[in-house]
Amino acid sequence: MAPIAIRTLFHVMVWRDFGHISNLVSQLVEVIRKEDRVKIRRVGVATLRNILSKGENNEQMIKAGMVKLAAGLTQKKWKDEDIEQDLAVLNEVLEKDVNVLNSFELYREEVMSGNLVWSLVHRSEKFWRENVGRFEENNFKVLGSSNNPQVLAIACYDLGEFVRFHPRGRKVLSKMDGKVDIMNLMTNNPDAEVQKHALLCVQKMMVHNWEYLSNAN
């Protein structure tokens, strides 16, 4: 069967492609974590400090576990003042950034990775009520396609929630031909979970009072 594109409506920030940098960041964090030689650790820590607050580097450091690692290393006694200062700066800046990263940004990262999982955020009404307006930024940027059944099922579910909570969700989805893709998944995809969530999405597109329909079922 030919690939079926899901024209999802998730908000995508216009960021530069730092893919090669993200690999470097995670590798540096891993070296700092495993390496006992002070000279090598010093170079790794100094490099991270030099690229701090540039592009997505802070988020990549947080994801790689640098917050916990930096906090632990700052407790050690170092004979090298440079590494002490660099660790202190990394620890301070990344601790602040952890608090800034909210659930929508983490959700966006998951969506952009193309690897959707049934995390709590997808099924949280609180998340959708508080963040559905942010999908409007950058004019509802379109995000790729997938043949993975789990990804397709979650994408259908999320699109249904977007339609449910956004005041113009039905119009936006129809304008971007999302309804056609969902209907194709509902009728042509062999996976039962994909069919189920595609059907639920279609139901949400067709009714104006989803809460009433849910209670009736």
Side-chain angles (χ1 to χ4, degrees):
M1 180 180 295
I4 299 176
I6 292 293
R7 297 182 182 88
T8 51
L9 311 174
F10 302 117
H11 160 64
V12 179
M13 297 293 286
V14 180
W15 285 356
R16 290 176 56 192
D17 181 9
F18 282 91
H20 59 296
I21 296 295
S22 68
N23 291 334
L24 170 63
V25 168
S26 61
Q27 290 169 11
L28 280 172
V29 173
E30 194 63 18
V31 168
I32 295 167
R33 179 182 289 113
K34 294 182 176 180
E35 184 57 58
D36 291 328
R37 286 172 289 183
V38 175
K39 289 183 179 180
I40 295 179
R41 271 186 165 174
R42 182 199 302 133
V43 173
V45 170
T47 302
L48 290 183
R49 180 180 178 179
N50 286 336
I51 62 174
L52 195 64
S53 301
K54 296 178 181 178
E56 300 178 23
N57 294 341
N58 291 18
E59 291 185 33
Q60 297 299 334
M61 292 181 206
I62 291 170
K63 289 180 180 179
M66 191 59 200
V67 176
K68 183 177 180 180
L69 181 58
L73 292 176
T74 53
Q75 301 301 314
K76 293 186 64 174
K77 292 184 178 180
W78 300 91
K79 295 180 180 179
D80 189 316
E81 291 185 2
D82 289 338
I83 194 171
E84 279 189 345
Q85 293 175 1
D86 289 343
L87 282 169
V89 172
L90 284 167
N91 189 49
E92 180 181 0
V93 173
L94 294 180
E95 281 284 358
K96 290 180 180 178
D97 281 2
V98 166
N99 297 325
V100 172
L101 278 174
N102 63 27
S103 58
F104 184 80
E105 289 167 328
L106 295 175
Y107 171 82
R108 178 197 57 205
E109 288 293 322
E110 180 186 330
V111 171
M112 290 179 69
S113 75
N115 184 29
L116 303 185
V117 295
W118 283 113
S119 55
L120 293 175
V121 67
H122 294 281
R123 299 185 183 276
S124 169
E125 286 197 6
K126 183 175 184 291
F127 167 80
W128 289 101
R129 291 185 190 281
E130 292 180 353
N131 292 287
V132 72
R134 296 192 62 182
F135 287 78
E136 297 182 14
E137 299 172 26
N138 292 319
N139 197 28
F140 301 101
K141 289 292 182 180
V142 177
L143 180 73
S145 62
S146 175
N147 285 323
N148 182 292
Q150 176 174 283
V151 173
L152 291 174
I154 297 173
C156 288
Y157 181 86
D158 285 0
L159 285 171
E161 292 298 89
F162 172 79
V163 168
R164 178 184 170 194
F165 288 101
H166 195 283
R168 295 185 294 109
R170 294 172 185 81
K171 291 183 179 179
V172 173
L173 189 59
S174 296
K175 184 178 180 180
M176 301 185 74
D177 295 327
K179 186 175 181 180
V180 175
D181 287 335
I182 300 298
M183 294 293 291
N184 281 334
L185 287 174
M186 185 179 70
T187 56
N188 297 324
N189 194 280
D191 187 87
E193 279 296 299
V194 174
Q195 293 178 10
K196 170 187 172 182
H197 289 289
L199 174 60
L200 285 171
C201 184
V202 170
Q203 289 177 335
K204 291 175 185 178
M205 285 189 282
M206 294 177 64
V207 300
H208 291 279
N209 192 338
W210 174 251
E211 284 74 15
Y212 175 81
L213 180 62
S214 298
N215 292 333
N217 291 336

